[in-house]
Amino acid sequence: MGRDFVYVILGGGVAAGYAALEFVRRGVGRGELCIISEESVPPYERPALSKGYLLPEAPARLPTFYTCVGANDEQLPPIWYKEHGIDLVLGTRVKSANVQLKQLTTTTGETITYKILIIATGARALKLENFGISESDAENVCYLWNLTDANRLVGLMQEYRGGNAVVIGGGYIGMECAAALATNRMKVAMVFPDAYCMSRLFTPKIADFYESYYKSKGVIFFKRNALASFDNDLKGKVKAVILKDGTHLPADLVVVGIGIRPNTNLFEDQLQLEKGGIKVNGQMQSSDPSVYAVGDVAAFPVKQFGNEIRRLEHVDAARKTAKHAVAAIMARDAGDLDYLPFIYSRVFTLSWQFYGDNVGRVVHYGDFSSGNFGAYWIDKGVVVGAFLEGGNKGDNEAIAKVVRLKATVNDIAELQRAGLEFALCKSQLVAKRYLRYAIAGVGVALAISIAYFAYGYGKSDV
Ligand SMILES: Cc1cc2nc3c(=O)[nH]c(=O)nc-3n(C[C@H](O)[C@H](O)[C@H](O)COP(=O)(O)OP(=O)(O)OC[C@H]3O[C@@H](n4cnc5c(N)ncnc54)[C@H](O)[C@@H]3O)c2cc1C
């Protein structure tokens, strides 16, 4: 039993949705494209699961967050795939892949062959078992990676409203879940081994702002600490979380967000890997020319960082690598992706954005007590990263622009004083400079045209 396609996307998450839209815009033929996904619904904006989906009132539900609404683009409901002749194979896991034969085999035994494969298998949440702790399957222990997880969490929050929740992990999933649990009127304790939350990105000063805000919402932090074991009732349900330092935390609900691992397993002995992901070039093409990789699973050269290979677990990277792979496949003249790394989060009424890289010297600015603040990362005299809490569209575009342009910093004290103004001024200056070049260009073109016509008319007169 088998089917044959020109293009196959393996995985049906964020990247798959954006790739599908790009395929259609570039004129893919009916019956040429197939998407295989283990999930039972078409591609959706996964970040919604830890934000709007968990709201106690008017929560976000499908179809409102099918891709590609997250990028303010077309929304792709199930019918869209049908209308465009795309085979959407849902609820189906691919169990093996043979890159040489260009063939995938599903758990139902079906073989699907392709000319071009896009791997968009994303990542999976790490389990407590990966760290030697059992009980992941207790009825009140949750992870949050897909719709099934989110529905389970919503059900448990409703069941235990007003009860105790323990969040294990201080990364963005832990932070967003803790905010959602507190908003759902649960008493929340957060446990993580680092000295402060979001330690891979935040500075201690930035983390301090968010931790203080969370505390004002009733969240209690157990930092430099870790889960040791669970105390269960006779039915196996977790009653309390026991920490390494012996603290007992009562728990009606435990949410675990301790990191993710890219889903490379089907390809590990067939394709080149780097940084834990499938290594691709600037066109998202892997070590096998007929296989591309996009999203969380791809490790790609980031031009902004001197073509250093990075694997970025951010939704924006998933959207843009997916679109770029399709452009490279269909147009064959797409050039290399020029990507500016970007991550964002929204918790309570707060919202932050970060662009670039968090290396070098940090310069904080603004008023941390009122939540009007940001930071720049300066390396070798230029801005390489920028963070902003609560910025509007223009502010966020401005910080993105100074990072993109690697704006020069001559005076750190002045940068700290100017704060966001630095980005706003620089980005306007740059815009003006481009405008000047454009006007100058038009002027030159006009002068050439006048000279040409004057010369041409003169000749015809002869
Ligand atoms: C709760 C949550 C909140 C997030 N919030 C943010 C945020 O605020 N900001 C941000 O920048 N990023 C956020 N992210 C990260 C972002 O969602 C990911 O970077 C993005 O989803 C990656 O897209 P992807 O297509 O590569 O992978 P995914 O969206 O994970 O899709 C992978 C797909 O592949 C399928 N699959 C895997 N293996 C197989 C197989 N063998 N057979 C068939 N199908 C398979 C999976 O079922 C899934 O459908 C969040 C993630 C989560 C889980």
Side-chain angles (χ1 to χ4, degrees):
M1 186 172 57
R3 282 191 279 173
D4 185 34
F5 295 90
V6 182
Y7 311 107
V8 169
I9 301 173
L10 170 53
V14 173
Y18 284 77
L21 183 57
E22 193 65 23
F23 265 120
V24 166
R25 288 191 174 152
R26 288 180 180 271
V28 73
R30 295 185 70 80
E32 284 186 342
L33 173 62
C34 166
I35 299 174
I36 313 169
S37 177
E38 204 178 351
E39 291 187 79
S40 56
V41 292
Y44 57 88
E45 303 284 355
R46 198 168 302 282
L49 298 183
S50 54
K51 302 176 184 66
Y53 206 85
L54 302 182
L55 288 176
E57 272 145 45
R61 289 290 179 268
L62 288 174
T64 59
F65 59 96
Y66 280 127
T67 58
C68 302
V69 291
N72 295 321
D73 208 326
E74 208 176 319
Q75 183 180 310
L76 316 180
I79 186 81
W80 180 89
Y81 295 87
K82 207 168 175 192
E83 281 169 1
H84 291 89
I86 298 171
D87 272 67
L88 194 52
V89 183
L90 297 176
T92 303
R93 179 169 178 75
V94 168
K95 68 167 187 208
S96 65
N98 188 323
V99 166
Q100 247 180 354
L101 295 179
K102 301 188 178 181
Q103 181 178 295
L104 306 173
T105 307
T106 70
T107 43
T108 57
E110 187 184 10
T111 57
I112 294 180
T113 50
Y114 58 82
K115 287 192 177 48
I116 300 280
L117 172 68
I118 299 182
I119 303 169
T121 45
R124 62 189 178 279
L126 282 175
K127 296 282 159 93
L128 288 171
E129 279 73 8
N130 296 107
F131 297 88
I133 296 168
S134 53
E135 315 298 345
S136 272
D137 53 355
E139 65 167 75
N140 56 343
V141 174
C142 296
Y143 294 82
L144 184 56
W145 199 258
N146 54 31
L147 263 182
T148 313
D149 298 336
N151 287 333
R152 194 158 161 251
L153 179 54
V154 167
L156 287 166
M157 284 195 303
Q158 282 163 358
E159 190 176 343
Y160 296 113
R161 185 156 297 192
N164 294 298
V166 178
V167 175
I168 312 288
Y172 73 81
I173 297 276
M175 290 298 279
E176 292 190 359
C177 286
L181 290 161
T183 307
N184 279 274
R185 282 182 256 132
M186 298 204 70
K187 298 189 246 335
V188 185
M190 282 193 81
V191 180
F192 50 84
D194 308 303
Y196 53 91
C197 68
M198 292 285 297
S199 59
R200 276 167 64 191
L201 171 64
F202 287 0
T203 64
K205 193 174 166 78
I206 294 176
D208 188 56
F209 167 80
Y210 291 99
E211 287 179 13
S212 301
Y213 192 93
Y214 274 58
K215 282 179 198 161
S216 75
K217 300 284 178 189
V219 177
I220 305 169
F221 287 88
F222 293 85
K223 301 189 274 185
R224 297 182 201 273
N225 216 326
L227 166 70
S229 59
F230 291 120
D231 183 10
N232 295 356
D233 68 12
L234 290 173
K235 288 186 188 151
K237 205 176 107 186
V238 171
K239 282 191 307 184
V241 168
I242 302 163
L243 305 187
K244 284 255 155 76
D245 70 354
T247 307
H248 272 60
L249 298 173
D252 295 304
L253 166 58
V254 178
V255 181
V256 184
I258 49 176
I260 62 173
R261 188 157 290 166
N263 291 319
T264 54
N265 42 317
L266 296 176
F267 301 95
E268 276 166 14
D269 49 357
Q270 305 183 68
L271 300 173
Q272 219 178 317
L273 302 186
E274 197 167 322
K275 302 258 166 87
I278 294 168
K279 187 181 178 188
V280 293
N281 61 20
Q283 313 233 330
M284 304 297 124
Q285 191 175 33
S286 76
S287 50
D288 183 296
S290 49
V291 180
Y292 291 69
V294 296
D296 282 4
V297 79
F300 65 99
V302 180
K303 255 192 197 174
Q304 185 77 15
F305 305 156
N307 279 330
E308 194 187 308
I309 300 287
R310 296 270 181 113
R311 202 179 55 74
L312 301 169
E313 299 160 356
H314 313 153
V315 72
D316 183 64
R319 292 169 182 154
K320 290 184 179 148
T321 54
K323 285 172 80 167
H324 197 77
V326 177
I329 292 164
M330 301 283 278
R332 301 197 175 276
D333 60 353
D336 286 346
L337 177 66
D338 189 2
Y339 181 65
L340 174 65
F342 163 57
I343 179 168
Y344 73 94
S345 183
R346 289 194 300 274
V347 285
F348 297 112
T349 54
L350 304 173
S351 138
W352 57 259
Q353 298 207 352
F354 172 80
Y355 294 87
D357 209 1
N358 57 339
V359 293
R361 177 173 178 179
V362 191
V363 177
H364 298 99
Y365 63 84
D367 179 4
F368 276 72
S369 61
S370 65
N372 293 313
F373 68 90
Y376 296 108
W377 279 256
I378 315 299
D379 196 32
K380 300 186 184 81
V382 300
V383 178
V384 294
F387 178 97
L388 183 62
E389 165 56 42
N392 62 30
K393 190 168 179 280
D395 300 339
N396 288 324
E397 281 170 6
I399 63 161
K401 208 173 257 178
V402 286
V403 177
R404 165 65 86 190
L405 297 164
K406 299 185 178 157
T408 305
V409 175
N410 298 316
D411 183 343
I412 293 280
E414 175 53 24
L415 174 68
Q416 190 165 27
R417 194 202 55 73
L420 180 60
E421 281 304 305
F422 173 84
L424 292 169
C425 289
K426 283 272 180 186
S427 56
Q428 270 167 16
L429 282 179
V430 171
K432 275 187 195 146
R433 199 179 306 151
Y434 281 138
L435 192 66
R436 264 210 308 276
Y437 288 148
I439 291 169
V442 171
V444 170
L446 261 175
I448 291 170
S449 315
I450 290 166
Y452 173 81
F453 281 118
Y455 178 66
Y457 286 138
K459 271 176 81 166
S460 64
D461 280 346
V462 170

